[in-house]
Amino acid sequence: MFSKNKGHTDYDIMTLQHILDDIYTEIQPHIGKGKVADYIPALKRIDPTKFGLSVCTINGERASVGDASERFSIQSISKVFTLTMAMKIAQEALWKRVGREPSGNRFNSLVQLESENGIPRNPLINAGAHIITDILTSAYEHPKEAIVQFIRHVADTTTIDFDLEVAKSERETGNRNLAMGYFMKSFGNIHNQVRVVLDVYFHQCAIAMSCEELAQAFLYLAHDGILPSTGERVIAKEDTDRINALMLTCGMYDSVGDFAYRVGLPSKSGVGGGIVSIVPGEMVICVWSPGLSENGNSLAGTKALELFVQKTGKGIF
Ligand code: DON
C-alpha cells in the first residue's frame, strides 16, 4: 500500500507495473461483460474482449497492460477537452448557459431541459457539451481543427485524428442530439446553426486515442493546469480544480454516486468504453473495455479502477 500523503509521488514505476499486472489477471472474468454501445452502428463492431489500462505519472513515467496502445473512440471523454478550451474563452459567462449540478438522468435525456429553460445541468452531459461546442464554434473559424489540435498538443502526438466513419455514423443516427440542440436553440441558448454545432460535436466524439495517449493528454489536470513535460500552462490552477470537481460530481452520468463510492477519483467516461481518472498531484489512469453498464460506463473499466484504488490507496478520500 502506498502512503495517503496527497500530492506525494511515493510510488516507483516497477511497483505500479506489478499492480497493473495483478489487476489484469483479476479483471479477466469481468472482460466482455455488459453491452457494447450499439446506438451508433460504427461502434458496435468493436471486439468486446478488448481491455487496456495505462497509468502516466506527472514525472513522465508509464505503466500499461493489455490493449493500452490501441486507439478507440473517446466519445464523451472529449467533453473534458472542450470544456477546458471553452473555460479559457468564456470564463464566468459560460455558467449563465450551463449549470454545475449532477443531472440524475441519462446522459442524453431531454426531460430536464424543458423545466429548466434550455439550460443543461452540467457541461459533461450531452446537452451541456452542445453549449460548450457552440462556444467553440463561435470562437474558432475551424472549430473541429481547433479541438483536434488542442488534443494533439496536450497528448504530444501529432497523429491523433477523427475516425470519420464513426463521425458519419454518429451524424446519421444523431437525431436525439439534434433534438436537444434545436430545443436549446428555441430558448436562445445555442447561438450558431444547430447542424453546424452538432457536426463539430459528432466529430469531437469520434476522435480516436489509446489509453496511453489519453493518460498523457490529461496530465495537466493532475498537475495544476500545467503540462509536466514542458512546463506550459494549459489552464489556470483554479479552473483545473473546478474541472476536477465537475468530473467528480458529473463525469460518470447517472452512476456518479456509485462510482465515487467505489473509486473516489475525478473521472470521465465515454460510450466507447474508455474512462479517464485523475489522481491530483500524481498521475492519470486510463482504462478501456467496451462492455457498458446500463448507465453507459465501462463495466470492467470501473472494476479495474476500483481495484487500482484498493491496491494503491490513491482515491482522493
Ligand atoms: O452523443 C452521443 O451519443 C455520443 N456521441 C457520446 C456519448 C457518450 O460517450 C456518453 N457517454 N457515456
Side-chain angles (χ1 to χ4, degrees), residues 39-40 75-76 107 126 170 177 201 205 253 269-271 296:
Y39 74 103
I40 301 167
Q75 292 293 313
S76 287
F107 62 84
N126 284 15
E170 296 243 12
N177 276 313
Y201 172 78
C205 291
Y253 304 114
S269 64
V271 293

Side-chain angles (χ1 to χ4, degrees), residues 114-286:
E114 174 141 43
S115 56
E116 299 183 0
N117 300 319
I119 299 178
R121 275 284 172 106
N122 69 68
L124 299 180
I125 51 172
N126 284 15
H130 299 165
I131 301 295
I132 299 299
T133 305
D134 187 50
I135 290 169
L136 300 183
T137 304
S138 299
Y140 293 100
E141 198 180 340
H142 301 292
K144 284 187 267 190
E145 287 67 26
I147 293 167
V148 81
Q149 287 299 350
F150 174 84
I151 295 175
R152 285 175 186 160
H153 184 64
V154 291
D156 194 22
T157 307
T158 53
T159 56
I160 291 167
D161 219 334
F162 307 107
D163 179 330
L164 293 177
E165 203 192 324
V166 173
K168 182 166 171 278
S169 191
E170 296 243 12
R171 193 170 46 233
E172 283 167 2
T173 54
N175 296 318
R176 208 179 168 86
N177 276 313
L178 283 158
M180 277 181 240
Y182 283 113
F183 200 52
M184 290 188 287
K185 180 99 179 158
S186 77
F187 288 97
N189 202 17
I190 292 275
H191 298 171
N192 297 280
Q193 282 183 39
V194 172
R195 283 199 172 273
V196 172
V197 175
L198 268 289
D199 181 56
V200 179
Y201 172 78
F202 294 139
H203 277 80
Q204 74 180 61
C205 291
I207 288 172
M209 292 172 76
S210 68
C211 290
E212 290 179 347
E213 289 165 345
L214 278 163
Q216 165 137 6
F218 276 100
L219 280 177
Y220 69 93
L221 289 181
H223 193 51
D224 292 344
I226 294 170
L227 289 182
S229 53
T230 60
E232 178 195 329
R233 178 163 293 288
V234 176
I235 189 164
K237 150 87 175 123
E238 50 274 27
D239 285 337
T240 308
D241 295 347
R242 290 168 181 147
I243 293 171
N244 275 300
L246 287 166
M247 289 171 77
L248 186 72
T249 53
C250 311
M252 302 298 291
Y253 304 114
D254 207 13
S255 50
V256 75
D258 179 63
F259 188 87
Y261 179 93
R262 291 171 60 191
V263 178
L265 290 171
S267 301
K268 183 74 200 84
S269 64
V271 293
I275 307 175
V276 171
S277 295
I278 313 292
V279 183
E282 301 196 40
M283 63 184 89
V284 178
I285 310 144
C286 180

